[in-house]
Amino acid sequence: MPGTTLGKQKKPFGQWLRTRKVQQWLVIIAFMTIPLILLVTFSYVPFAKMFEFSLYKMKRYDSKNNKFIGLENYLDVFSRDDCFNSLKLAGYYIVASFIQLAMALYFATILCFKVRGGSLFKGLIFFPYLISGIAIGFIFKFFYTRGFVFDTVLSWIGLNPESLPYWLKDTRINNASLAATSVWRYMGQNMVLFLGAMMSVDPTLYEACAIDGANSWAKFRYIMLPSIKSVILLNMILSISGSLSAFEPPYVITGGTFGTSTYFVMMNSLAHEKGKIGLAAAMAVVLMGLIFIVTIAQQVIMKVADEDWREERRNKKLAKARKKAEKEARA
Amino acid sequence: MTAKMKIGKIAWTIIKYASLLLMSFIAVVPVVSCVITALKTPEEYAQTNVMEMPQTFYLGNFKEAFVSANMLTAFMNSLIVLVVVLLLSVMFGAMLAYILNRFSFPGRGLVRNLFLFASLLPGIAMQVTTYKIMYNLGLINSIPGYIILLCGTDIISVTIFIQFFENLPNSLDESAIMDGCTYFGVFFKILLPLLKPAIVTVMILKGVGTYNEYYMANLYLQDKSRLVTMATSLYKFTGPLGNQYNLICAGVLITLTPALIVFILCQKQIYAGLAAGSVKG
């Protein structure tokens, strides 16, 4: 494969241009230049600028006289009441995403077997994923308004509408209301992912299972669950970094009012509305640090879990073989 | 089968269908309530409960929402953005994946890792500084600028194409090269047609994301009279129109109709595409 193109100059230029190595370099340069320029411009330059901005007191994007203030922004991130504290709200979203994964697993398991109207159910549960975030914002503002959709539905099952809280204003409940919309939106997508992983299991395994007289629970426990274990684990860990950067539900539904401002919503308003660009950049750097820690933990956990699983399987096989041998010895 | 097992089986069937029905109900109620409200006349909306069925089949809200939110312009803009972004990200993604998968050259590992690492960077956080770059490049309030940004932050398509290339045998390229085909020829004439399933996957994932993208559109396409997209056209309803839900619901329904049509037409591809796109790590 191509190394150096030197030493080929002895040949005439036209011929040299047609050699494989030169051709390869031509195609590499032609195909790689634009995507790389885009990547650097819109991912790595902003990434580097983030560190630079975080050291300045910046009011506007176009101003020339930004004041260098060292690490003060970082101190602010941790000491201001509204910045680091807003990370606590991530707890609501972590809980919600674990509920979401459990529900997705439950419905994927049901739909994996033969169910009447299965594809209709699947479609209905999945469709919210295809609605744009801003439309979801309006839908749920409407849904949660006092006396509107949610209150009416609850009154159908006998609850007194007067005793219900204000879903988006009551600080005891509003973050849970918001996190629930994210479950509504993404549960179907998780379900489809799990269903895909379950369907990819070798069908002869189920046949073997059926011959052994195993019931549905055994099929789930010993065939489906192990086969999608890594997908579940990956999604669990991804949901943590996703929850740290929870943004859309509060941004589009409440705009961060009534104590629903998550870390990202706070950062967004500091940068684009309140003219504290430096502070927002420092917040972004801190959050990125957290996300990297979670990602590294994810890699480690995935590896360990994988080995665990192999070990477990090996032990089971051994136990089975031992039992079989014992049986045969007795016979 | 014993009686106990039979009862258990029946109970399980009941639980199964009850939970499916309940979940489907939860999934559709917010949208159905929008349909009900959008079909009411303004007077009816003011006087009746939101979950009460409309007396007439009134379509005036859709018309008014369509006109007041400038949705014809929005639809044209969204269409242009969608077509160009899909075309470019399929081309760039496939080209880059071809290079990274088929050639070994100094710096290959570096380029690959640069893309993987970039996928970890949180998009919204990056906009704090990306805004400055867009500003310096004069790309604010410009549809081409918005398109370039969407292509530039596109990493998932590269990953999907690389996975797909790994399953295409190298002997295919080799024999074509032996027959005197150039590398460009191999890519465009032989490999690109074979990539069809991967292209469909990328188009679905990227298409859904692009059509629904509203944060960057709102940030960079500030001139809302000219540069609205389907997603940002809904911002029209945030101001004084903020509590006219008969209009808002109609607007929401208009914007989600294209997604609904695509979903009904290619359900299978969407499910398969999502499953393929999620395989990482």
Side-chain angles (χ1 to χ4, degrees), chain A residues 1-2 20 23-28 30-32 34-36 38-39 41-47 49-50 53 58 61-63 103 106-107 110-111 114-116 119 121-135 138-143 145 147-149 152-153 156 184-185 187 189 192-193 196 216 234 238 245 247-248 251-252 264 267-268 271-272 277 280-281 284 287-288 291-292 295 298-299, chain B residues 12 15-17 19-21 23-31 33-34 37 45 49-51 92 95-96 98-100 102-106 111 113-115 117-118 120-122 124-135 137 139 148-149 151-153 155 174 177-178 182-184 187-188 208 212 214-215 218-219 231-232 234-235 237-238 245 248-249 252 255-256 259-260 263 267 270-271 274-275 278 280:
Chain A
M1 289 279 143
R20 265 189 104 164
Q23 284 281 320
Q24 279 183 350
W25 273 113
L26 277 179
V27 79
I28 287 169
F31 281 8
M32 217 167 58
I34 298 177
L36 262 188
L38 286 176
L39 179 74
T41 320
F42 295 110
S43 287
Y44 286 98
V45 176
F47 182 57
K49 284 254 180 216
M50 197 82 82
F53 279 22
M58 265 180 91
Y61 282 104
D62 49 357
S63 74
M103 285 168 72
Y106 170 76
F107 286 108
I110 289 181
L111 290 172
K114 247 205 171 117
V115 172
R116 254 169 233 267
S119 61
F121 285 127
K122 188 177 169 187
L124 290 178
I125 296 173
F126 173 76
F127 184 68
Y129 175 69
L130 297 177
I131 304 175
S132 90
I134 182 77
F138 284 110
I139 290 175
F140 277 99
K141 245 190 254 172
F142 177 61
F143 183 81
T145 303
F148 278 19
V149 187
T152 309
V153 171
W156 289 348
W184 181 81
R185 185 177 183 190
M187 198 281 276
Q189 187 243 12
V192 166
L193 291 186
S216 303
L234 181 72
L238 282 180
S245 40
F247 175 73
E248 278 201 297
Y251 179 70
V252 296
F264 258 38
M267 192 186 71
N268 177 66
H272 300 294
I277 298 166
L287 187 82
M288 267 191 243
I291 288 178
F292 287 138
T295 309
Q298 168 201 326
Q299 303 285 344
Chain B
W12 169 234
I15 293 172
K16 197 164 77 173
Y17 284 101
S19 59
L20 277 173
L21 283 171
M23 192 60 227
S24 306
F25 177 75
I26 294 172
V28 298
V29 157
V31 181
S33 67
C34 268
T37 305
Y45 167 70
N49 180 286
V50 286
M51 291 303 276
F92 291 159
M95 276 161 36
L96 196 74
Y98 171 62
I99 299 292
L100 291 177
R102 292 300 208 246
F103 302 99
S104 67
F105 55 93
V111 172
N113 286 332
L114 278 179
F115 273 89
F117 183 78
L120 293 178
L121 303 174
I124 305 275
M126 301 289 280
Q127 298 315 315
V128 175
T129 44
T130 305
Y131 191 92
K132 170 89 175 171
I133 291 158
M134 293 289 279
Y135 182 87
L137 293 173
L139 292 179
I148 292 172
L149 181 66
C151 293
T153 49
I155 285 133
E174 291 297 326
I177 295 289
M178 290 301 160
T182 62
Y183 288 100
F184 292 95
F187 177 76
F188 286 106
V208 171
N212 286 337
Y214 67 93
Y215 181 79
N218 187 37
L219 197 58
T232 57
L234 291 176
Y235 274 105
F237 300 113
T238 46
Y245 278 107
I248 296 175
C249 287
V252 164
T255 61
L256 66 79
L260 183 65
F263 176 59
Q267 256 185 69
I270 289 179
Y271 293 145
L274 272 176
S278 74
K280 52 177 172 178

Side-chain angles (χ1 to χ4, degrees), chain A residues 43-96:
Chain A
S43 287
Y44 286 98
V45 176
F47 182 57
K49 284 254 180 216
M50 197 82 82
F51 290 97
E52 187 200 320
F53 279 22
S54 70
L55 302 176
Y56 286 86
K57 193 181 178 105
M58 265 180 91
K59 278 228 167 88
R60 292 178 50 197
Y61 282 104
D62 49 357
S63 74
K64 294 271 178 291
N65 44 6
N66 300 316
K67 206 171 124 210
F68 182 83
I69 53 168
L71 294 176
E72 209 172 287
N73 282 326
Y74 288 91
L75 292 177
D76 273 0
V77 171
F78 291 100
S79 62
R80 276 175 65 128
D81 282 343
D82 54 354
C83 287
F84 206 66
N85 263 337
S86 58
L87 256 190
K88 282 181 191 156
L89 293 188
Y92 286 98
Y93 293 89
I94 292 177
V95 171

